[in-house]
Amino acid sequence: MTSIRRVYIALLLGFAMVFAGLLLVMGLLLQELNSLRPDARDNFVWYAGRFDHERLMLIQALDGYIHKSSDTADFELVTDRYDIFFSRTQHSQEGPLGDQIAKLKNGNELLRRVGQTLKEIEPMLPAIERYEQAAYSQVRNQLERLGPDLRALSLDAMLQSVGETKKHQAALKHFMFLLVFLFAGLVLIGGALLVLLNTEKQRAQRMSEELDTRVKERTSELAAKNTQLERANEGLRQFAFVASHDLQEPLRKIKTFSSILSDELKGELSANASHAISVISNSSDRLRRLVTDLLEYSRVSNRALSVEATDLDRLVRDVIHDLSVQITEANAVINIASLPWLKADPLQMRQLFQNLLTNALKYRSPDRRCSITIDAQQEVGAELTISVRDNGLGFSSEHRNKIMEPFQRLHPGGLETGTGIGLAICSRIAQRHGWTLTAESEPNKGATFSLHIHNQGQFSPPPGSTARDVAA
C-alpha cells in the first residue's frame, strides 16, 4: 500500500470520527436546550412558589367562610383548597422535582413540617364548619407560621434555578465552542480529502495516459513484428513449396536412370556396382517420400480450415475402404463403434485417421493377428474422446511425446522405416482444430492414440440425417 493510500485512509477515518463527534455534540446540545425549555408544569421555581400560594388560598377560603363573604361562603371551597395543598405537599418529594427540593437547604424537613401541620389541621375542619372561632383562630395561626418558611423555600428555589441557569449557559458556551472546533476540523479534513482526491485523479489520469501510450506502442510493435513474421512464413512456405517441387524432378531422374542402368547392364555389373545402384534407387525413393511428406505437413499447417458438419462414422469407413489392400495383406481385423458427427475439416480428418490406421498396420506384431479398434466415449459434461487402439508392437511410454514431433522415428528391427512425419501431421491437425492428440503404449502390448475433443467440437447431425448401426 502506498503512502498516499495510507494518508487517504487516515483522512477518511478522521472524517468519520469528527462527524461522529459532531453528531454527539449536537445531541448533547439538544438535550441541554430541552432542559432549559420553560414548561409551567415542570418549572421548579413555579412549583416551589405554589406551596405558599396554596397556603394563602386556604387562608382566604377560611376567612371567607367564617366572615360569610358573599362569594366564598361555601365550606366545600375550604375542603377543596385543603386537599390541593395537602396533595401538593405529599407529592412534592417524588420525581425530578423531589430531587430538586432535596438539594435545597432544609427542603425535605420543611415540607415534612408542612405535611405534619396539615394533618393536625384536618381534625379541626369540622369545628370550623360549625363556625367555632377558637378552631378557626388556631388553624389560621398555624398556617400563618408556615408563611416565612414557605417564602424562604421559594426564594432558595429561585436562587438555585439562577445558579443552574448559569451552569447551563456555561455548558452551552463550551458546547458551542466544541461544535465550532469540530466543524472547522470537518472543513479542514474535507478540504484535504478533496485535494487528495484531485491529486489521485490526476495521477490516475496520467498513469492511464501512459498506459494507453505504452499499449499503443506495444500494439504497433506487435503488429509490425506480426507483419514481418507473416512475410517470413510466406517466404518459407514459398521456399518449401518451390524447393520440394524442384527436388521432385531430380529425384525422379535419379530413380529412372538408376533403373535403366540396372536393366541395361544386368549381368555385366559386379556385385558392388549392383549394390551401389540399389542403394541409389532406395535412397531416392526415401528422399522422394520425405519431400512428399514435407509438402503435406506444410499444407496441413498453412491451408485454411474448411470446417463443416462431418459424419465421422462414414469418413472412417471410407478410409478403411481406401486401405483395403493393406488391411488384406496384413490380415487385420478392424472393429468400429458408432462414431458421432463433428464440426471439423473433413479432408484433414480423413488424413488423420488414414495416418493412424497406416501406422497401426505398419507396426503390427508378427506373433498375433492385427486387431484395430476405433471407438468414441463421452461422459456427461466431459470432453469427447475418440480412440484408435491396436495390439501391435507398441513403444515405451517415455517416447509418447517424442513420436508426435517431426522426423522422430522409432524403428523396430526388421521393419520398413518411415519418414517420421505421419504422426506429426496427425498432431498438427488436432492442434489446428483446438483438440489434443495423446498416445499411450507399452512395448509389445499395442498402442492407443486418443483424440480429445472439447464439447464445442461436437456437432449434432444436420436435419434429415439418419443414424446407422456400425458392424464390428
Side-chain angles (χ1 to χ4, degrees), residues 382-399:
E383 63 184 9
L384 172 67
T385 301
I386 300 175
S387 301
V388 178
R389 188 180 302 105
D390 64 61
N391 64 342
L393 295 173
F395 53 86
S396 177
S397 60
E398 65 186 22
H399 300 305

Side-chain angles (χ1 to χ4, degrees), residues 137-382:
S137 299
Q138 184 178 354
V139 169
R140 200 176 193 288
N141 291 333
Q142 289 179 331
L143 291 176
E144 288 291 346
R145 286 197 295 271
L146 293 176
D149 292 334
L150 291 177
R151 285 192 290 273
L153 177 68
S154 177
L155 180 60
D156 289 343
M158 185 178 298
L159 294 176
Q160 179 177 316
S161 177
V162 172
E164 292 292 333
T165 301
K166 290 182 178 180
K167 290 181 181 179
H168 285 305
Q169 290 177 348
L172 285 178
K173 289 181 180 180
H174 291 129
F175 281 135
M176 291 300 295
F177 176 77
L178 184 58
L179 184 64
V180 172
F181 178 77
L182 290 176
F183 183 75
L186 192 64
V187 171
L188 291 176
I189 292 177
L193 281 176
L194 290 177
V195 172
L196 183 59
L197 288 174
N198 186 52
T199 303
E200 284 290 305
K201 181 179 179 180
Q202 293 177 355
R203 190 172 70 89
Q205 186 175 359
R206 288 196 302 269
M207 292 179 64
S208 177
E209 292 174 354
E210 292 176 0
L211 183 59
D212 290 341
T213 302
R214 291 180 182 179
V215 169
K216 291 179 181 178
E217 292 176 354
R218 187 55 59 90
T219 302
S220 178
E221 293 176 0
L222 290 176
K225 290 181 178 180
N226 187 50
T227 302
Q228 294 175 1
L229 184 60
E230 289 180 354
R231 290 175 182 174
N233 288 336
E234 181 63 26
L236 289 174
R237 286 194 293 268
Q238 293 178 0
F239 173 78
F241 184 80
V242 172
S244 299
H245 277 75
D246 288 348
L247 285 174
Q248 294 280 1
E249 185 60 23
L251 290 173
R252 188 183 64 80
K253 289 181 179 179
I254 292 173
K255 175 66 177 178
T256 300
F257 283 110
S258 63
S259 298
I260 292 174
L261 283 175
S262 179
D263 293 339
E264 291 292 334
L265 300 176
K266 188 175 183 180
E268 299 180 10
L269 296 173
S270 64
N272 290 335
S274 296
H275 178 69
I277 291 176
S278 176
V279 170
I280 292 173
S281 179
N282 291 335
S283 297
S284 64
D285 286 340
R286 289 179 57 193
L287 185 56
R288 181 174 53 81
R289 289 197 303 271
L290 179 59
V291 170
T292 301
D293 288 344
L294 282 173
L295 280 173
E296 191 59 38
Y297 185 80
S298 177
R299 292 192 189 99
V300 168
S301 299
N302 298 300
R303 186 176 65 85
L305 290 177
S306 179
V307 178
E308 61 184 60
T310 302
D311 186 352
L312 193 58
D313 196 290
R314 175 177 293 178
L315 184 145
V316 171
R317 283 183 167 277
D318 291 343
V319 171
I320 292 174
H321 182 269
D322 294 341
L323 297 176
S324 59
V325 175
Q326 294 93 316
I327 294 173
T328 302
E329 291 177 353
N331 192 25
V333 177
I334 300 181
N335 302 303
I336 311 173
S338 180
L339 301 178
W341 288 73
L342 294 179
K343 192 174 183 181
D345 187 324
L347 293 178
Q348 292 200 1
M349 294 302 295
R350 176 185 292 272
Q351 186 170 10
L352 183 146
F353 281 98
Q354 181 171 330
N355 288 0
L356 291 178
L357 289 173
T358 301
N359 189 75
L361 293 171
K362 181 185 296 185
Y363 298 108
R364 63 185 181 274
S365 173
D367 301 330
R368 51 186 173 270
R369 186 179 182 184
C370 179
S371 176
I372 303 173
T373 301
I374 305 173
D375 59 15
Q377 294 181 352
Q378 182 177 25
E379 298 180 358
V380 178

Side-chain angles (χ1 to χ4, degrees), residues 60-77:
Q60 183 180 356
L62 287 171
D63 292 344
Y65 180 74
I66 292 298
H67 299 296
K68 297 185 182 295
S69 299
S70 60
D71 55 346
T72 59
D74 192 354
F75 188 75
E76 290 183 1
L77 180 61

